[in-house]
Structures are given as structure tokens and as C-alpha cells.
């Protein structure tokens, strides 16, 4: 791959003596919509703020559009940032908020007016220009924050959990709006969230982070279908993937020469091509939606412990020889706690991980 | 509560509330709130109002103490005060010293408070403490050494010595107030301004100060208050009549008037108090809000 | 709007660097000017006071080192001992009365149903009256002929005492004047405390069967402990260092009935020109105040902060 539009190489960050980022290597293509996702405290904001120029670089390089920006001031990096709290200037009206960065740059007044008009048109802010932030709803504030980023015509948009202060319905709306904006402007965007749904739905490329490291980078569905390690497997997907400790054993079935024993006598099937030797300690992973419920006398026997009908789907918890198993069914299941049933697992949908290293086998 | 569920009765009320209870509740409330409120108003206002009324009375009338209201209200006492030798100079001194002792500390404090609120520099806690400890030093205790030191420096009876001492005692106050207000401005707003291209000066000017404006106003009013009312320092550092400020002049009035003309005395008092009260009443809302919100300590 | 080009090329100048949010010398340069004034004047004065307390100043303002001699003289001086006791009584009386009044006024302002803003604003007025003016006004309120109090008593046909001529009454009046001056600020601080208490807590207490008195002592007071601490610091600070009010109200009299430490200090240094012993009293005032303030801060403010998250 050629040079990325935004490029991190060996990027490290310490706060005092505490290392927070342990060497980030990542290339982001021009025009891409990249989502950094990971649990709280994993360093997503830190990485984004280093990109913005709000945090210094401990070690390594950040390049934007081929230019090394490690020591370039935030205002000269060609970036614009939308904060979780929106960080609107509370004492300025909407149009003053939008104009501020241009005024600081001594842009001629006509140009400022033009830029405001453009941004307000795109974001449907025109009727609100005279209002103060306090007089706006959450969604409107969010749009002003985006407008403020827009008028600067940045090379890179940075978003730090921009939707987490909105209620669920608005969040879905704004999600679509941000995505549409990106499709229209095609500006390179780095978007931080801890919400995997946002990550999955919005990203061209998802970057899963954990403890200051990148765990996996890729197309959202590809990551979902092929998590490279235990952390990614566990983090992405809701309800989360079933992860059962087990041991690889040889079986007598010719079409299934190996299986994983997750409890004494309970053998679960594994993909044919999996590089697992009998005797190896593994973690057996299968997503709840890939566990099929069948009649009581087929498959592995389970006992239902909890049934949560959610309308469009049903979440079930079942006991498999003392192990707890999550099952997701898109059909209405008439089961009650205590009912017996059997489960079938498609071996091609199974993920196997080395227990010691956590890596995919 | 046992009554909560008993026999379907409504919670907590043992018997039907009658007219008498309602009356008592109302009456009790009026007494409980009304009496202390009346006391508060009387207690707060009587000294001021009594002085104000006396300033319109005739000297003898005050002495007889027969009437509450002035019988023949007159402004004579005020004309006497205004025509007094030196009154103009004392007023000028008070205004001059107060203005200097407000503007300079505000500038110094805004800069220092910004650093304390935003920078994580080593020893900041120690430095902040050095700023704040002087707040618990009783200023009157300093008059002995200050008088001695300033005499040695030959600074007695100069404006400079008043400026310096007034500023020194106002800076900790203003800094303390402003650090709180500046810290309350979300850091992200300032970061946003940084990305928008504002340097430190522009951030202060366009972002921090407008947002923390109530704090600046509060700090300013309190600096004005300290400067206008300061007494111990002038007492220790000024001996010449022409260098007096109004509180000192008021204090010396007792000695400088042979027979006590109570009306003039009261008119003088009112005139020293009034300018500051006007400032306060103009900005009352901000000041009261700041104190109630715990921003001034 | 199009995807844009970044301004490339130019290397960052020193000004563009992150120094803005960095460590560097900038914050020190910002903090030092103010500190220079504070330490230069107040610090210098305090240090000078300690130095002075160890020296004897003669008629020609020549100073000789005398060690602790001034301290010994002062502590053996019955007039000082009396003024110290008087100060302590004055402070205790002022704290008791001042806090009680502040609490009462704060509760009143909290519950008052109309003109809230007006009464609040009015209650702070004395805070803006100088100590001297407050004292002068109080003299006219309590003066024997022409005073408001005696005017009222006279109208009611009661005995009109000589408030400022009687040692006990004069002491009382100075406590009152001191309270008049310092209560407003404490009131607003406590009011702020009352307003931070969540109203639902009172509802919960009522449901739990607590009466108004119990609610006040078991719920309100503990919850406004930090503000109580701040008020106490303020009230004791003002009372300990009370000076202008007493100077202009009674000048320490009658018969030294109101001669508190600060008054005696003024006497010693400015009228008897004994700077050394005056400075000893300064040290006494300073130490008392510091110890008391630290005590309050520890008990009321810090004790609560520790359970919260510091910033
Ligand atoms: N200014 C700072 N000083 C010290 N530690 C910090 C600072 N900012 C963030 N951290 C720490 O760095 C880690 C990563 O923080 P952050 O990047 O905000 O995480 P995320 O955005 O992924 O939730 C956290 O453990 C946080 O406590
Ligand atoms: Mg974050």
C-alpha cells in the first residue's frame, strides 16, 4: 500500500510515566471513514487528540497528507474536531460559533458569510443562526458542532464520541446524517466511539483498540466474521459471542476427525481447516445467532434458564452441562425456563482461539 | 410508618385535616418566615436608615431624639460636608486608590488564575498556596511591621505605598475567585478554540473571559470593596491630612470637629458609604449569585 | 464545498508549537508577577513583624536585638492577658451569635416565598459598608440621646441605659456591630449550602417520619458542613482581627472593656511607640488565626473533600 493520508508510525504516548499508547501503526486512506472503537480508557481519545494536536507525541510520527505534523500547532494541521460535549462557545450565537475559526484566520467577511451560509444549508441550521447554544436542542447543538468543523474545510474530520450525549432515537438519526455528510463531502474522517453498533454501521474501516494497542483493522463485516483474537471476538457483537474453554480431542467420526470438549463428554464441532492439534487448550467461540435450537432429542441437550423476548428477536440463556450459553433466535420461541431442547452448531461458523495466546487458530 | 397501609387510610394523616389545621399551617408559616424576615430587614437597614434620617435633621433635633422622621428635612449637612476643607481630596484619594487597586490586581489575577486553572506545571500547588495563605492573615496585624518598614523606605504618605499594599491584599482574593471560574470553563471549549486557531491571548479574550465574565465582575466588585473600605493600611501608612481616604477621614472626623454636629457626621458617613453601595446595587445579581454558589470564599 | 488541500510545506514556527499547552516556563511567568506583590508586601510584612518582635526600638528608631524579651514582657503584662481573654470572649460570643443569626437568616431567605432576590440583595448590604462607617452608624443607633434604640425605649416608656458608657453593654454593642458587619456574607454562604441540598432528601426524610427539627439537625446541618466550615472561618477571622469597628465604636473603652488584642496592639505600637511589643501581639494574632483557620479547614472542608473526588 502506498502512503496513507493520515499515517501513524510507532506512535507512543505516556502520561507522566504511564504508557497509554504502546506504538500505533496505521494508515488511513484519503476519503475513508475510519472508526476507532474499543472499551473506555483504551486510548481512543488520546490517539484522536494527538492527531488533532491537543496532546504531544511521546514517540513515533503522525503524518497528515504526507506532512509530518508531530510539532505542528493544532490550528495548522488542517483538521476539525467535534467533541462529545460539542464544546460550543456558549456566549456566541450559532453564526458566531461558525465564524470563529475563520475570524481567527482573518478571513474576509464576505468569505465568512459564504462559508456560514454553505454549512448552514447543508446542516439545516439556517433558521437557528441567531440563537445561543443554550437555546438549542441536543441534536441541533450536535449539528452546530459539525457546522463549525465544516466551515474550516478541513482535510480530516475528527469525531470524539459525538453521539453519546443524545438519546437513542436521535442517535440513530444523527448517525445517518453524519454518514450522508461523509458521502457528500468525502472528507477523510476519523471517528471515535465505544459503541460497536456505531462502528459497524458507519465505518468503511474499523480499528479495534484495546489497552493502547490496535487489535484488528478491517472492513466491519470482515472483522465481525473473522475476529483475529479473543478480545475482538468478545468485544464485537451483541449479545456477545459464546466463549467456552475446552480441549481439542480426536473423534471417531470420519467427517469430523476433531472436536472440542468443553465439558466432560460434551463435544462441539470445529471447522475442518482449523489448525488445532488434539490435546491443545483452546477457547471455543460461537456467536449466539449461530447456535440453532432444535428439538429435545437432536443435537446437544440444553436446559433453558432465561428467555428474553425482544419483539423482533428472542434472547435465550441455556445451560449446557453446567456452562452458560447465549442463543439468539430471530423467531418467536415459545420456550420457558426449565424447558429442555437441543442445539446444533454449524462448524464453519465456529471460531477457535489458542487459550494461551488468545490468537485465532 | 404503621399508618401507611392501615385500613385503606391515606398515608400519614391520622384524621381529616380541618379548617383549623389549615389556618394553623398558614399562620405558622407566616410567623416562622415572617418574623425572622422582619427582623432581618430591620436589623440590616436600621443603622443605615437611622443615619440617613439623621443626616436630614437639625443637630438639636437629633439630640432631643423626639421624632423618627426629620421635622424640617434639609440638605444643609450635605452642603457642609461637600464644602469641607479636604473632602474633595479625600474623595479623589479614595477613588484613585480604589481604581488602581482594582485594575492592577484584576490584570495580575486573570493572568495568574489562567495559569493555575489550565497548566499542569510542577509546584503549582505550592505556588497557589502562597497566593492563598495571605487570605487568612489578619491585615490589621500587619500594620505594625508595615508602618515600620515603610517608614524605613521613606514611603509613608505616598500613593505608591497605598497602591502596593492594597494591590497585595486584593490579588489573593481575586485570584482565588477567578481560578474557580476559569476552571469551570470546560477544557474542551478551549481546545476547540485552539483548533480554531486562537492563541492564548485570543482564547482568554474571546472565550475564557466572556464565559467567566460573572467571575470577573465579582472579583472586580470585591476588589473595589476592599479598596474603598480599607482602613488599617491607611491608618498605618498615612499621617498627612491630604493623603487620607474616606474611611480614615471619617474616623478622624470625630477629633476634627469640636462640638459634634451629628447631622454632618451622618451625612459624611452616608457619603462615604453611598458610592460603593451604588456599585454593589448595579452589579448585585452577579455578586450575590457568586457568593451563594460558593465561588467566593 | 470540496475536499480540501492542507497547507503543506512551512515547518512549524516556535509559536505554532504545542508549547501552548505544554509545561515550559510560560505558567511561571504568568504566576510570578502577582506573587511578587503578595509575597513582596504581605510576606515581607510578616517576616518584618517577626523580626521586629525580637528587637527593641528606641526613641531614635534604632533597633537592638533583645531575643524573646518582648515576648516575656507581653505575656507577663496583665493588660495583655486581659485583652487576650476579652478577645476570646469576644470571638466566642461573635461566633455563637453570628452563626446563629446567619443560619436563621439563611433559612429565612431559603424559605421566603416572595421577593427572594430583593431580600437576598438587601441582606448583603452591610458587607459593603466599611468597618468605620458601620461603627459610626452603630454609635448613632446606640448613643444615649439621639440613638435609635433609646428612641424606641423612650417611646415605650422604658428605661434608657447608656449603652456605650457601661462596660458590659458596650462590649455587647461591639459584638452586635461586629455581627452586623460579618453576618451577611456568612448568611449567603450558608444559603448556598442549603440550596445544594436535594429537595427529594427532605421528602424522603418526611416520609421516614422526621419532624422539622430533626430534619434540620440530622439532614440539613450535616449536608452543609463544608459551607458551615467556610462561614466559621469567615466569622472567626473577622472577629479575631476586628479592629476598625471597635476603634471607631468605643476605641477600646469604656474602662478598656472592649480593648481586644488588635486594639492593644495599636495602642502599644502607635500610641506608646513600642514596636517590639506591638509586633509580639501581631504574632499572637497571626498564630491564633492560622491555627483556627487550619482547624476549620481540616474539620469541615477537607474532611468532606476526602470522600469526594479531588480535582
Ligand atoms: N491528561 C491525562 N493525564 C493522565 N492520564 C490520562 C490523561 N488523559 C487520559 N488519560 C488516561 O489515558 C487512558 C486512555 O484515555 P482515553 O484516550 O481518554 O480513553 P478512551 O477515549 O478510549 O476512553 C485512560 O486510562 C486515562 O485515564
Ligand atoms: Mg474518550
Amino acid at each position: 500500500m502506498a502512503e496513507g493520508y493520515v499515517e501513524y508510525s510507532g506512535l507512543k504516548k505516556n502520561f507522566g510515566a504511564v504508557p497509554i499508547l504502546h506504538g500505533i501503526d496505521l494508515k488511513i486512506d484519503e476519503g475513508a471513514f475510519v472508526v476507532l472503537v474499543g472499551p473506555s480508557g483504551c486510548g481512543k481519545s488520546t490517539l484522536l487528540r494527538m492527531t488533532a494536536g491537543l496532546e504531544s507525541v511521546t514517540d513515533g510520527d503522525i503524518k497528515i497528507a504526507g506532512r509530518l505534523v508531530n510539532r505542528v500547532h493544532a490550528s495548522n494541521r488542517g483538521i476539525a474536531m467535534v467533541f462529545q460535549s460539542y464544546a460550543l462557545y456558549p456566549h456566541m450565537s450559532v453564526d458566531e460559533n461558525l465564524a470563529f475559526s475563520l475570524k481567527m484566520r482573518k478571513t474576509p467577511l464576505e468569505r465568512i458569510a459564504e462559508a456560514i451560509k454553505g454549512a448552514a444549508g447543508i446542516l439545516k441550521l439556517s433558521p437557528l443562526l441567531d440563537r445561543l447554544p443554550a437555546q438549542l436542542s441536543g441534536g441541533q447543538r450536535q449539528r452546530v458542532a459539525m457546522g463549525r468543523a465544516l466551515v474550516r474545510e478541513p482535510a480530516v474530520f475528527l469525531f470524539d464520541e459525538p453521539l453519546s450525549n443524545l438519546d437513542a432515537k436521535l442517535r440513530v438519526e444523527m448517525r445517518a446524517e453524519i454518514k450522508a455528510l461523509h458521502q457528500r463531502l468525502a472528507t477523510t474522517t476519523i471517528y471515535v466511539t465505544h459503541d460497536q453498533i456505531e462502528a459497524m454501521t458507519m465505518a468503511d474501516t474499523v480499528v479495534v483498540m484495546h489497552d493502547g494497542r490496535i487489535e484488528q483493522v478491517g472492513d466491519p463485516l470482515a472483522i465481525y466474521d473473522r475476529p483475529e483474537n479473543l478480545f475482538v471476538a468478545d468485544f464485537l457483537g451483541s449479545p456477545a459471542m459464546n466463549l467456552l474453554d475446552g480441549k481439542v480431542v480426536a473423534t471417531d467420526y470420519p467427517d469430523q476427525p476433531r472436536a472440542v470438549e468443553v465439558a466432560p463428554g460434551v463435544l462441539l464441532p470445529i471447522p475442518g481447516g482449523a489448525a488445532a492439534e488434539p490435546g491443545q487448550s483452546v477457547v471455543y467461540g460461537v456467536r449466539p445467532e449461530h447456535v440453532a435450537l432444535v428439538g429435545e432429542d437432536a443435537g446437544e441437550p440444553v436446559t433453558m434458564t432465561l428467555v428474553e423476548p425482544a419483539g423482533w428477536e428472542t434472547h435465550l440463556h441455556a445451560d449446557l452441562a453446567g456452562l452458560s450459553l447465549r442463543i439468539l433466535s430471530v423467531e418467536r420461541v415459545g420456550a420457558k425456563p426449565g424447558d429442555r431442547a437441543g442445539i446444533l452448531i454449524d462448524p464453519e461458523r465456529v471460531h477457535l482461539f489458542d487459550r494461551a495466546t488468545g490468537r485465532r487458530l | 410508618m404503621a399508618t401507611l397501609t392501615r385500613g385503606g387510610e391515606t398515608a400519614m394523616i391520622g384524621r381529616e385535616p380541618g379548617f383549623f389545621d389549615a389556618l394553623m399551617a398558614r399562620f405558622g408559616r407566616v410567623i416562622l418566615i415572617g418574623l425572622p424576615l422582619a427582623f432581618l430587614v430591620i436589623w440590616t437597614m436600621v443603622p443605615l436608615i437611622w443615619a440617613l434620617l439623621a443626616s436630614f435633621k437639625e443637630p438639636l433635633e437629633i439630640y432631643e431624639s423626639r421624632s423618627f422622621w426629620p421635622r424640617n428635612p434639609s440638605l444643609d449637612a450635605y452642603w457642609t460636608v461637600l464644602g469641607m476643607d479636604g473632602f474633595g481630596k479625600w474623595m479623589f484619594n479614595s477613588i484613585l486608590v480604589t481604581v488602581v487597586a482594582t485594575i492592577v490586581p484584576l490584570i495580575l489575577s486573570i493572568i495568574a488564575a489562567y495559569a493555575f486553572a489550565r497548566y499542569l506545571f510542577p509546584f503549582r500547588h505550592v505556588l497557589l498556596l502562597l497566593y492563598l495563605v495571605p487570605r487568612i492573615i489578619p491585615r490589621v496585624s500587619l500594620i505594625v511591621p508595615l508602618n515600620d518598614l515603610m517608614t524605613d523606605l521613606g514611603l509613608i504618605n505616598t500613593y505608591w505605598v497605598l497602591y502596593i499594599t492594597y494591590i497585595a491584599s486584593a490579588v489573593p482574593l481575586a485570584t482565588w475567585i477567578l481560578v474557580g471560574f476559569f476552571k469551570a470553563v470546560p477544557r474542551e471549549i478551549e481546545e476547540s478554540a485552539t483548533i480554531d486557531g486562537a492563541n492564548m491571548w485570543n482564547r482568554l479574550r474571546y472565550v475564557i473571559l466572556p464565559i467567566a465574565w460573572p467571575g470577573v465582575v465579582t472579583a472586580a466588585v470585591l476588589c473595589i470593596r476592599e479598596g474603598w473600605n480599607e482602613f488599617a493600611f491607611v491608618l498605618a501608612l498615612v499621617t498627612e491630612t491630604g493623603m487620607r481616604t474616606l474611611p480614615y477621614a471619617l474616623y478622624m472626623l470625630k477629633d476634627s470637629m469640636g462640638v459634634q454636629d451629628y447631622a454632618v457626621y451622618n451625612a459624611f458617613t452616608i457619603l462615604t458609604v453611598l458610592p460603593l453601595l451604588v456599585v454593589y446595587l448595579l452589579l448585585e445579581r452577579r455578586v450575590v449569585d457568586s457568593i451563594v454558589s460558593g465561588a467566593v470564599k | 464545498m470540496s475536499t480540501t488541500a492542507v497547507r503543506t510545506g512551512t515547518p512549524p514556527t516556535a509559536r505554532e508549537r504545542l508549547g501552548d499547552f505544554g509545561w515550559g516556563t510560560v505558567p511561571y511567568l504568568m504566576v510570578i508577577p502577582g506573587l511578587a506583590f503578595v509575597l513582596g508586601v504581605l510576606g515581607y510584612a510578616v517576616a518584618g513583624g517577626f523580626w521586629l518582635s525580637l528587637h527593641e526600638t528606641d526613641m531614635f528608631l534604632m533597633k537592638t536585638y533583645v531575643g524573646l524579651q518582648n515576648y516575656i514582657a507581653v505575656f507577663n503584662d496583665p493588660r495583655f492577658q486581659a485583652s487576650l481573654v476579652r478577645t476570646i470572649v469576644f470571638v466566642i460570643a461573635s461566633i455563637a451569635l453570628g452563626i446563629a443569626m446567619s443560619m436563621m437568616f439563611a433559612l429565612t431567605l431559603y424559605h421566603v416565598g416572595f421577593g427572594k432576590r430583593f431580600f437576598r440583595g438587601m441582606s448583603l448590604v452591610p458587607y459593603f459598608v466599611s468597618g468605620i462607617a458601620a461603627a459610626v452608624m452603630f454609635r448613632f443607633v446606640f448613643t444615649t440621646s439621639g440613638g435609635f434604640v433609646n428612641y424606641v425605649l423612650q417611646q415605650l416608656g422604658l428605661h434608657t441605659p447608656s449603652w456605650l458608657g457601661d462596660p458590659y453593654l458596650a462590649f455587647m454593642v461591639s459584638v452586635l456591630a461586629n455581627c452586623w458587619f460579618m453576618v451577611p456574607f456568612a448568611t449567603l454562604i450558608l444559603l448556598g449550602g442549603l440550596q445544594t441540598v436535594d429537595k427529594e432528601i427532605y421528602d424522603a426524610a418526611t416520609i421516614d417520619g422526621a419532624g422539622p427539627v430533626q430534619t434540620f439537625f440530622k439532614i440539613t446541618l450535616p449536608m452543609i458542613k463544608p459551607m458551615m466550615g467556610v462561614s466559621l472561618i469567615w466569622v472567626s477571622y473577622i472577629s479575631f482581627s476586628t479592629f476598625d469597628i471597635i476603634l471607631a465604636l468605643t476605641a477600646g473603652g469604656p474602662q478598656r472593656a472592649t480593648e481586644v488584642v488588635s486594639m492593644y496592639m495599636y495602642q502599644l505600637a502607635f500610641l506608646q511607640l513600642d514596636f517590639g511589643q506591638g509586633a509580639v501581639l501581631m504574632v499572637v494574632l497571626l498564630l491564633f488565626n492560622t491555627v483556627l483557620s487550619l482547624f476549620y479547614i481540616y474539620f469541615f472542608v477537607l474532611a468532606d473533600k476526602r470522600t469526594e473526588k479531588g480535582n
Side-chain angles (χ1 to χ4, degrees), chain A residues 40-103:
Chain A
S40 287
C42 70
K44 309 175 298 278
S45 297
T46 304
L47 180 56
L48 198 73
R49 292 164 53 80
M50 286 167 82
T51 317
L54 297 173
E55 301 283 359
S56 61
V57 172
T58 304
D59 193 19
D61 288 333
I62 305 177
K63 281 186 186 172
I64 298 178
R67 179 172 69 138
L68 184 67
V69 295
N70 284 21
R71 302 196 61 84
V72 175
H73 190 268
S75 63
N76 296 327
R77 290 188 180 194
I79 55 97
M81 184 155 171
V82 176
F83 293 86
Q84 176 173 354
S85 62
Y86 317 139
L88 300 181
Y89 308 123
H91 56 296
M92 298 184 196
S93 62
V94 170
D95 57 352
E96 286 169 331
N97 261 285
L98 297 180
F100 187 72
S101 65
L102 302 178
K103 274 192 193 141

Side-chain angles (χ1 to χ4, degrees), chain C residues 105-145:
Chain C
F105 290 159
L107 285 170
T108 309
L109 290 173
Y110 180 77
H111 285 292
V112 69
F114 58 96
K116 232 181 178 113
R117 283 223 74 95
F118 170 79
F119 288 119
R120 245 176 241 193
M122 189 211 65
S123 75
L124 193 63
V125 163
Y127 179 65
F128 286 88
V129 174
S130 68
I132 296 291
V136 169
M137 289 177 183
F138 258 76
R139 273 201 9 200
F140 280 104
V141 169
F142 283 97
T143 195
T144 314
S145 27

Side-chain angles (χ1 to χ4, degrees), chain A residues 49 52 54 73-75 79-81 83-85 87-92 100-101 104-105 148 152, chain B residues 185-199 202-203 205-211:
Chain A
R49 292 164 53 80
L54 297 173
H73 190 268
S75 63
I79 55 97
M81 184 155 171
F83 293 86
Q84 176 173 354
S85 62
L88 300 181
Y89 308 123
H91 56 296
M92 298 184 196
F100 187 72
S101 65
M104 286 294 113
R105 263 153 233 282
R148 203 168 57 173
R152 311 190 52 208
Chain B
V185 177
R187 209 190 176 87
E188 290 188 344
I189 289 186
E190 218 184 318
E191 288 174 345
S192 194
T194 306
I195 294 176
D196 280 349
N199 58 24
N202 282 334
R203 289 202 301 270
R205 176 165 164 213
Y206 294 112
V207 181
I208 300 285
L209 286 181
I211 296 176

Side-chain angles (χ1 to χ4, degrees), chain C residues 81-187:
Chain C
Q81 293 164 358
S83 77
L84 188 61
V85 171
R86 217 173 277 126
T87 304
I88 291 171
V89 175
F90 182 85
V91 169
I92 291 175
S94 295
I95 292 178
L97 187 63
I99 288 294
M101 288 177 84
S102 309
M103 200 65 231
M104 182 178 81
F105 290 159
L107 285 170
T108 309
L109 290 173
Y110 180 77
H111 285 292
V112 69
F114 58 96
K116 232 181 178 113
R117 283 223 74 95
F118 170 79
F119 288 119
R120 245 176 241 193
M122 189 211 65
S123 75
L124 193 63
V125 163
Y127 179 65
F128 286 88
V129 174
S130 68
I132 296 291
V136 169
M137 289 177 183
F138 258 76
R139 273 201 9 200
F140 280 104
V141 169
F142 283 97
T143 195
T144 314
S145 27
F148 175 76
V149 174
N150 279 0
Y151 164 74
V152 173
L153 293 176
Q154 195 181 321
Q155 298 294 312
L156 298 173
L158 296 171
H159 167 65
T160 53
S162 164
W163 293 97
L164 295 169
D166 178 271
Y168 288 105
L169 293 179
F171 189 82
M172 250 179 54
V173 171
S174 29
V175 171
L176 285 180
N178 188 46
C179 283
W180 187 77
F181 175 74
M182 74 188 182
V183 158
F185 185 76
T187 301

Side-chain angles (χ1 to χ4, degrees), chain A residues 6-277:
Chain A
V6 178
E7 196 174 320
Y8 307 102
S9 37
L11 191 67
K12 290 187 182 157
K13 178 69 185 176
N14 296 353
F15 280 119
V18 188
I20 298 293
L21 294 180
H22 310 270
I24 299 289
D25 290 290
L26 181 66
K27 287 176 181 174
I28 294 171
D29 292 334
E30 180 159 11
F33 196 111
V34 174
V35 174
L36 305 179
V37 66
S40 287
C42 70
K44 309 175 298 278
S45 297
T46 304
L47 180 56
L48 198 73
R49 292 164 53 80
M50 286 167 82
T51 317
L54 297 173
E55 301 283 359
S56 61
V57 172
T58 304
D59 193 19
D61 288 333
I62 305 177
K63 281 186 186 172
I64 298 178
R67 179 172 69 138
L68 184 67
V69 295
N70 284 21
R71 302 196 61 84
V72 175
H73 190 268
S75 63
N76 296 327
R77 290 188 180 194
I79 55 97
M81 184 155 171
V82 176
F83 293 86
Q84 176 173 354
S85 62
Y86 317 139
L88 300 181
Y89 308 123
H91 56 296
M92 298 184 196
S93 62
V94 170
D95 57 352
E96 286 169 331
N97 261 285
L98 297 180
F100 187 72
S101 65
L102 302 178
K103 274 192 193 141
M104 286 294 113
R105 263 153 233 282
K106 307 214 165 30
T107 313
L109 285 179
E110 321 84 77
R111 287 271 309 282
I112 295 183
E114 243 170 70
I116 292 179
K117 211 169 151 214
I122 293 174
L123 293 163
K124 293 174 282 190
L125 290 171
S126 309
L128 307 174
L129 289 177
D130 294 332
R131 297 215 199 153
L132 287 175
Q135 301 164 318
L136 301 176
S137 71
Q140 289 168 336
R141 280 180 215 176
Q142 169 69 58
R143 284 213 289 275
V144 177
M146 278 160 57
R148 203 168 57 173
L150 219 59
V151 293
R152 311 190 52 208
E153 307 197 357
V156 183
F157 269 132
L158 306 175
F159 290 90
D160 194 353
E161 312 216 3
L163 303 185
S164 34
N165 284 353
L166 300 178
D167 61 48
K169 183 158 168 288
L170 211 52
R171 203 177 302 168
V172 175
E173 270 172 46
M174 289 308 296
R175 208 156 78 191
E177 222 167 291
I178 293 177
K179 192 70 189 150
L181 191 68
H182 177 252
Q183 267 152 15
R184 173 167 178 172
L185 303 174
T187 306
T188 312
T189 301
I190 308 179
Y191 185 106
V192 162
T193 181
H194 65 263
D195 178 347
Q196 41 158 321
I197 313 265
E198 264 173 40
M200 298 295 292
T201 53
M202 299 178 82
D204 302 333
T205 306
V206 171
V207 176
V208 184
M209 289 182 64
H210 174 48
D211 272 352
R213 288 195 176 81
I214 292 182
E215 296 286 345
Q216 192 169 358
V217 180
D219 178 66
L221 290 178
I223 295 187
Y224 189 81
D225 291 340
R226 249 190 95 76
E228 279 307 321
N229 56 45
L230 264 177
F231 174 79
V232 178
D234 192 32
F235 182 74
L236 282 187
S238 171
M241 184 187 282
N242 292 296
L243 293 170
L244 308 172
D245 283 348
K247 201 169 234 157
V248 179
V249 292
T251 69
D252 306 333
Y253 305 111
D255 54 335
Q256 285 270 328
R258 284 160 302 151
V260 170
E261 186 172 32
V262 293
V266 181
L267 296 188
L268 298 179
I270 61 173
E277 299 305 322

